[in-house]
Amino acid sequence: MTNVLVISAHPNSDSFNHGVLDEAVSELQSLGHEIQIRDLYSLQFDPVMTVEDLANSKEGTARGDVLAEQELVLWADILLIIYPLWWAGLPALLKGYIDRVFSYGFAYSMDDNGLHKLLTGKKALMVTTMGNSEAHYRQVGMFEALEKTIDEGIFNFVGIQVLEHRYFESVPTVDDTTRANMLEHVKELIRTHITSS
């Protein structure tokens, strides 16, 4: 049994992205994993970094909503992160969550010996929906850029091993059969990476 923190960042509960969330939660429950769900829009999580947040981070402490999320990250063996690709990056709400929760003193620290990755040992599985085609993003080098800025620049930086980052392409324009196949892939990802962990 694995502790899985599911983090979702899409405002529309009728979206395909939420369909991915529902499918993932159902599969995790059927396999008997322990799960905590953080639907950031439903929670109305405040993504804005405050002066107090910065001061707490410099002291290596956290309070309130940030502390609650950090405790869940510590509880988790695996983070399952589900989000849409907007403007070639994370939705602002998810980026703000990372800004505030993956703070200095919690997720990483630095001293004369260099960087200390404080979340080493944890793993992440990411599912991203997008409107454009895979072929287009490969042609322009988008996937390489996303790997550098998200997989490596955020998760590897703090010691979290990215098991896989799956992108579902052209979601608004593909047919229902293709979307259904994508949801089957979500279950496959969980069985492959979480159940076997």
Side-chain angles (χ1 to χ4, degrees), residues 2-3 22 24 33 40 43 50 53 59 62 72 76 85 88 93 108 110 132 141-142 144 153 158 172 181 191:
T2 305
N3 292 344
D22 293 342
H33 297 297
L40 300 184
L43 291 170
T50 66
D53 289 332
E59 296 170 3
L72 287 172
L85 188 67
L93 182 53
Y108 70 100
M110 292 183 179
N132 219 318
M142 185 64 69
E144 292 85 350
V158 299
N181 288 336
R191 291 193 296 266

Side-chain angles (χ1 to χ4, degrees), residues 65 83 111 156 171 190:
D65 58 345
Y83 69 93
D111 59 22
N156 180 265
V171 167
I190 289 169

Side-chain angles (χ1 to χ4, degrees), residues 52-71:
E52 181 184 13
D53 289 332
L54 286 172
N56 291 342
S57 179
K58 287 179 181 178
E59 296 170 3
T61 63
R63 295 180 180 86
D65 58 345
V66 172
L67 180 60
E69 298 304 320
Q70 289 179 345
E71 288 174 347

Side-chain angles (χ1 to χ4, degrees), residues 115 117 126 143-162 165 167:
L115 172 67
K117 301 180 178 189
M126 288 185 279
F143 291 119
E144 292 85 350
L146 292 168
E147 181 179 357
K148 289 290 185 186
T149 58
I150 297 174
D151 299 17
E152 295 181 21
I154 297 172
F155 294 96
N156 180 265
F157 183 82
V158 299
I160 298 175
Q161 176 191 357
V162 176
H165 194 158
Y167 294 88

Side-chain angles (χ1 to χ4, degrees), residues 5-197:
L5 181 62
V6 184
I7 301 171
S8 170
H10 197 294
N12 185 358
S13 60
D14 294 325
S15 65
F16 177 74
N17 198 276
H18 259 266
V20 171
L21 171 64
D22 293 342
E23 195 72 32
V25 168
S26 176
E27 184 69 9
L28 288 166
Q29 289 173 334
S30 73
L31 294 169
H33 297 297
E34 291 289 328
I35 61 173
Q36 292 283 344
I37 303 167
R38 311 308 285 164
D39 182 339
L40 300 184
Y41 280 93
S42 294
L43 291 170
Q44 297 184 323
F45 182 84
D46 185 354
V48 178
M49 175 78 78
T50 66
V51 172
E52 181 184 13
D53 289 332
L54 286 172
N56 291 342
S57 179
K58 287 179 181 178
E59 296 170 3
T61 63
R63 295 180 180 86
D65 58 345
V66 172
L67 180 60
E69 298 304 320
Q70 289 179 345
E71 288 174 347
L72 287 172
V73 171
L74 291 177
W75 167 85
D77 302 305
I78 295 179
L79 283 65
L80 172 56
I81 303 170
I82 302 165
Y83 69 93
L85 188 67
W86 286 345
W87 292 106
L90 303 173
L93 182 53
L94 179 56
K95 180 58 167 61
Y97 178 94
I98 291 167
D99 287 347
R100 295 186 68 212
V101 176
F102 284 26
S103 60
Y104 183 86
F106 170 74
Y108 70 100
S109 66
M110 292 183 179
D111 59 22
D112 292 341
N113 295 316
L115 172 67
H116 299 276
K117 301 180 178 189
L118 302 182
L119 297 180
T120 297
K122 297 191 179 296
K123 300 174 182 178
L125 180 62
M126 288 185 279
V127 179
T128 302
T129 56
M130 59 190 200
N132 219 318
S133 69
E134 180 177 345
H136 171 74
Y137 277 150
R138 291 209 180 281
Q139 181 182 7
V140 300
M142 185 64 69
F143 291 119
E144 292 85 350
L146 292 168
E147 181 179 357
K148 289 290 185 186
T149 58
I150 297 174
D151 299 17
E152 295 181 21
I154 297 172
F155 294 96
N156 180 265
F157 183 82
V158 299
I160 298 175
Q161 176 191 357
V162 176
L163 298 170
E164 185 171 343
H165 194 158
R166 178 69 62 92
Y167 294 88
F168 291 129
E169 65 173 320
S170 306
V171 167
T173 55
V174 296
D175 58 30
D176 289 343
T177 300
T178 302
R179 291 192 196 95
N181 288 336
M182 291 175 180
L183 294 179
E184 286 300 314
H185 282 299
V186 171
K187 294 194 285 189
E188 175 191 327
L189 282 171
I190 289 169
R191 291 193 296 266
T192 299
H193 293 295
I194 296 180
T195 303
S196 63
S197 293

